[in-house]
Amino acid sequence: MSKAFYVTTPIYYVSGRPHLGSAYTTIAADVLARYHALRGERVVFATGTDEHGEKVAREAAAAGKPVQVYVDEMAQAYVDLWEQLHIRYDRFIRTSEPQHVRVVQAVFSKLLETGDIYLGEYAGWYCVPCEAHLLESEVQEGCCPDCGRAVERISQPAYFLRTSRYAQRLLDHIEANEEFILPDTRRREVIGFIRQGLQDACISRARSDWDIPVPGDDTQSVYVWFDALINYLTVAGYPDNSAQMGDTWPPDVQLMGKDILPRFHATIWPALLMALGLPLPRTLFAHGWWLADTGDKMSKSKGNFIYPQEVAEELCELSGARTAVAIDALRYFVLREVPFGLDGTFGLRTFIGRFNADLANDLGNLLNRSLPLVDRYLGGVVPEPGPGAGELADDIAAARDGVEAALAVADYRGALEAIWELLGKGNKFLDTREPWTLHRDGKMVELQAVLYDVLDVVRSVAILISPFMPVVAEDICDQLGLEPSEALQWRLVEGGKLPPGTRTRKESPIFPRVDMARMEAKLQAREAAVEKDKDEERQEATTPLLSFDEFRQMDLRVARVLSAEKIAGADKLLKLQVDAGEPTPRQLVAGIAQEFSVDELVGKLVVVITNLQPAKIRGVESNGMVLAAGAEKALALLTVDRDCPVGTRIR
Ligand code: MSP
């Protein structure tokens, strides 16, 4: 069997709900997997969940659940999201699987025998959220340089991987193989990191119930990162099935965020493979981060996660597009908007802007203009190309070559630009060749050639975009009257492959345009609401502290509402007479007329402050105030939870 194209994502921690960041790597890997499958290659696309470690155990405990139950639920959230995002993986690996546990222990035992793993003593810093050992020099004012949270000092016996033994070989490999670490900025960063000196990696910790036990030592468990990296070997069948291993190993592309490249994937991981005598992956690609539109990395502590389903729903609501199309649009957007490798800021306006410009206009227009013309002039049947056809064949070939060259180095943006150039050519071709004029002038042969060429571009584009937008590609095939499973093959990205006689279908537009003014109004209303909340928070945060004596100066009393009446010309105000246990009723003005009726107020026990300076409101004297919950509107009135005499002091 020929070697499969093997692509991986990091396995995700199950400590939180998957968000746009986790989706990004997985979408990118899915595109490569689909692209290679489209070319007829065998593909192994693996993703999964990283389920051991201190952090997960702590979170399960906080959720009050047994760890296995907790990780089962959390892993399911990933499985569900991948299904919604049209992710077609071949293997979903979970590190709590018995098979993986066996592989980790086998690797550990083997390297103990070869002396690549040894028992030592770890004294240093540990960041629980990142599950990372840190050097003294890396700790910044007691905090982790990556996540900024407090680190813990640990000192314990531990096993080490002799990473230092492989530092020079690794440097030589990186220098000799330019494609081993991409993009180039990251490659240079890693070279610098290794040159500083590679310390042996600590790969165990004091025994915990949840982690994988170190074989033959019941005081120690395997460190979560060592366990996690080995997932890529488990997927390939190591060590039981060396034949299958040969068909899969080594990985062609391993994708990840830039945070986990230098310290883990570009050092411990290759050193581990060298120690096992296995070939290294062809490419490790580290992409940038998606930041929230405040410019911050998405994180639990900031609570600023963007969730792909929510973004897609927003687009559906604004445009009326089908959910599956909105998901494809998001897949397109994240890979088109930012060069793979750099950071990007996610904003709904930019997303919708691209949806309108690239999808509704460029792609949608080509479809929505060409199909009705074929319908009107040619009875909805793909014509024979005839003499003069094939004018766009070179452009189709150029787009195909462009995509191939770009995807060979995970340049998704470059690939999409090559496709959009072809779309531009198709649209321009329609403008300049004016099929409506050819029809008017009775130039039927030319008309057929022009419409054939345009539909052939549409068909080729459907294949080219199918790794990025699989559902949209199928929709386009449907509109062209083609069977997606037959039409979507890479070798058919070539001019002249559209079968004449095919009957096209009339369908509604795939990408209904978003009304930008409506969106703007909606976003502005939302932003104003957020601002208001922030203001309130700020006000609360700046409220000065009161001393007990100051608090005691407020004379709060239980009172009964005796009567209530509207104040003429003031919608919000009521004039109340209350019995606060004093010789005569007290009159106050309260801004609660819109929330409370006279009937529900009269007879009610309320809480009033009686020693406020008197004021005249709309000419009515007010001696005190009724207390209510709610910043602007009164949401509820304060009362007492059992009957007590009017005039009772509140303290
Ligand atoms: N479990 C480890 C990986 C072990 S792989 C042997 C881990 N998990 S993680 O869930 O914290 O993050 C995994 C990956 O999610 C990152 O490397 C990156 O690929 C992706 N992202 C998480 N947040 C991200 C952004 N804000 N932006 C882009 N990708 C991000 O580390």
Side-chain angles (χ1 to χ4, degrees), residues 28 103 117 168 176 190 216 232 295 335 341 443 476 509 541 566-567 579 589:
V103 176
I117 290 180
Q168 192 53 50
V190 168
Y232 306 128
L335 295 173
K443 297 185 175 164
I476 297 177
K566 296 216 164 171
I567 295 177
D579 178 359
V589 175

Side-chain angles (χ1 to χ4, degrees), residues 10-13 19 21-22 24-25 50 225 228-229 231-232 256-257 259-260 265 287-290 297-298:
I11 47 172
Y12 302 98
Y13 286 131
H19 51 84
S22 11
Y24 186 43
T25 325
D50 190 352
W225 261 102
L229 288 165
N231 94 82
Y232 306 128
M256 71 208 67
D259 46 335
I260 56 173
H265 283 83
H287 62 69
W289 284 335
W290 275 104
K297 187 176 181 223
M298 287 182 263

Side-chain angles (χ1 to χ4, degrees), residues 379-390:
V381 176
V382 175
E384 286 292 338

